[in-house]
Amino acid sequence: MPRESDDDFGTGELAQYHTLWPEISRICDDQLHHAFKGVSDDNSGWQKFAEEGEMKMYRREEEIDGMVMDPLKSCHVVTGCTAREMCYYFFDPKYRNDWETTLEDCQILEEIAKDTLVFLQTHKRIWPANQRDALFWSHMRKVEEGLEEGATDGWVVCNHSTDSPNYPVS
């Protein structure tokens, strides 16, 4: 991974004037809030549905505007790399085909900032489902607050579907 400093990899001042920025900021803050909620809290709502080695996956059900959503949360320890390195490989499109096995095509439609991109992805057709695509923004940010004691590195990548008149739903 290129060794850019944290200062070189951040949201530029102009990004905060982009029409998507209020949504990006709000959704990322909300996702971080939920990420820091403990999964063992009695009222957290998280239910473990898969476990493999040190990786544990949780889901919870919530209703937003009358639609049932199932947010997912994964907790995993990866030795030998930092949180920033993990997020970088998850965020950077040049590595996406290495881990996204259903991906057929990935285009960057807009670079809002070095840490904020708008993507159009086409996924392979997997029978019996139709081929699908996804239009979304992806934002990577350093996490400054709320880290567990002893944590030396905190980063998050947040992906969220979006709409664009230039790319209507197919």
Side-chain angles (χ1 to χ4, degrees):
M1 176 176 107
R3 297 290 181 187
E4 301 174 25
S5 73
D6 294 345
D7 295 334
D8 291 340
F9 195 82
T11 302
E13 187 175 316
L14 293 177
Q16 296 173 9
Y17 297 104
H18 192 279
T19 56
L20 284 174
W21 187 253
E23 174 185 297
I24 293 168
S25 182
R26 177 183 53 78
I27 289 174
C28 287
D29 288 346
D30 185 55
Q31 292 298 316
L32 279 171
H33 169 76
H34 288 295
F36 286 129
K37 275 187 172 179
V39 292
S40 61
D41 297 344
D42 291 335
N43 61 353
S44 73
W46 291 109
Q47 300 170 348
K48 185 173 13 172
F49 71 92
E51 182 172 357
E52 185 177 319
E54 290 190 49
M55 183 178 70
K56 296 172 182 63
M57 301 245 348
Y58 303 84
R59 70 173 159 237
R60 64 184 166 78
E61 189 175 294
E62 66 181 49
E63 190 174 315
I64 301 174
D65 298 330
M67 185 180 292
V68 176
M69 304 291 210
D70 293 313
L72 300 177
K73 179 175 186 166
S74 175
C75 301
H76 188 55
V77 175
V78 178
T79 56
C81 67
T82 66
R84 182 173 188 271
E85 290 170 327
M86 284 297 301
C87 284
Y88 178 82
Y89 285 108
F90 182 75
F91 171 80
D92 194 311
K94 66 183 168 194
Y95 301 109
R96 191 149 298 207
N97 282 326
D98 293 344
W99 60 267
E100 180 80 59
T101 58
T102 66
L103 194 60
E104 186 171 292
D105 185 49
C106 177
Q107 300 173 45
I108 299 173
L109 301 181
E110 184 177 2
E111 182 175 320
I112 296 172
K114 288 182 182 180
D115 63 359
T116 310
L117 304 171
V118 178
F119 289 98
L120 178 61
Q121 287 187 170
T122 304
H123 294 267
K124 296 174 186 172
R125 182 181 188 283
I126 300 174
W127 187 89
N130 288 331
Q131 187 173 40
R132 61 189 173 95
D133 59 11
L135 177 64
F136 65 97
W137 53 257
S138 184
H139 175 67
M140 180 173 158
R141 77 164 59 156
K142 185 175 176 83
V143 178
E144 302 285 349
E145 298 176 14
L147 298 175
E148 293 181 11
E149 187 176 325
T152 58
D153 195 21
W155 288 82
V156 64
V157 174
C158 186
N159 297 326
H160 191 76
S161 295
T162 192
D163 295 315
S164 170
N166 297 331
Y167 298 93
V169 177
S170 60

